[in-house]
Amino acid sequence: MASAMAGIEALKGTHQQLKTKMESTVEDFRGHLLSARTGRANVHMLDQIKVDYYGTDTPVAQMGQVSTPEPTLILVQPYDGGMVSAIEKAIRTSGTGLNPMTDGKVIRVPVPPMTEERRKDVVKQLNKTLEDHKTAIRNIRRDGNDQIKKAAKDKLISADDEKRANEEVQQLTDAEIKRVEDLFKAKEKEIMTV
């Protein structure tokens, strides 16, 4: 869709800036969905888990090789052998309900089948994350509308331009919110399917 805002000198970068911020919010939500637990093992289930690596919170995926050799098992082979217990502890205390085991070199994370109650809990957590991301998108819209209002107040754009720009920002917001809702619905269906 061609942006009407791009044709207005005072608002040239505003549309692209808003679109970029909203898309990064959608991508962040997609990352949360990937890390959500379903009935099968998935390397992305550990994406949100951070390990204290010499004072820096580092994702598990950057600490070692993460793989799923079986549908119900995640395997983590740390690059630094001294970090095995720290990675194991981070996974155990992450609140994902996973109980890792180690032989001193490799961390095995069995993924038990999900109960109906656990499935509902995961969907509830994802719903809260969805609402947080929708709020973030609306905040980006508010910032964009403030920029448009300031441009109108400074007499850089006409009242008609202001109205068109606000409508365009609203359309962009609605489209991005629909994207995160569609992603959520697809993931919810995947989680609730036994």
Side-chain angles (χ1 to χ4, degrees), residues 1-17:
M1 152 178 123
S3 168
M5 289 167 63
I8 304 168
E9 189 62 38
L11 300 175
K12 259 197 178 11
T14 305
H15 181 267
Q16 191 55 44
Q17 179 186 6

Side-chain angles (χ1 to χ4, degrees), residues 40-172:
R40 297 180 56 104
N42 176 347
V43 294
H44 296 292
M45 290 170 66
L46 306 179
D47 283 356
Q48 303 296 324
I49 301 173
K50 307 267 192 272
V51 181
D52 182 21
Y53 186 62
Y54 301 110
T56 305
D57 281 346
T58 309
V60 171
Q62 292 179 12
M63 301 288 297
Q65 175 75 34
V66 181
S67 60
T68 53
E70 302 170 23
T72 59
L73 181 70
I74 300 173
L75 206 60
V76 182
Q77 294 174 303
Y79 301 132
D80 180 352
M83 295 305 296
V84 171
S85 60
I87 295 171
E88 180 186 14
K89 181 180 178 202
I91 294 170
R92 182 170 282 119
T93 59
S94 67
T96 55
L98 298 173
N99 191 16
M101 298 172 288
T102 182
D103 59 8
K105 292 185 177 96
V106 176
I107 302 160
R108 287 176 174 72
V109 186
V111 180
M114 292 176 64
T115 62
E116 186 71 23
E117 183 179 330
R118 180 71 182 140
R119 289 176 195 275
K120 288 178 181 170
D121 284 348
V122 170
V123 169
K124 195 184 295 182
Q125 281 178 327
L126 286 178
N127 199 20
K128 182 186 179 319
T129 305
L130 169 69
E131 290 307 317
D132 291 346
H133 283 78
K134 284 166 59 174
T135 301
I137 290 171
R138 290 186 191 110
N139 288 342
I140 295 167
R141 174 192 61 194
R142 183 195 62 221
D143 294 345
N145 286 341
D146 289 348
Q147 288 177 6
I148 293 165
K149 194 182 295 177
K150 183 180 181 325
K153 185 178 169 213
D154 295 345
K155 303 275 190 250
L156 298 173
I157 61 173
S158 68
D160 286 347
D161 287 342
E162 179 184 10
K163 185 174 189 285
R164 272 194 299 275
N166 282 330
E167 287 171 0
E168 192 173 324
V169 169
Q170 185 59 48
Q171 288 172 348
L172 182 62

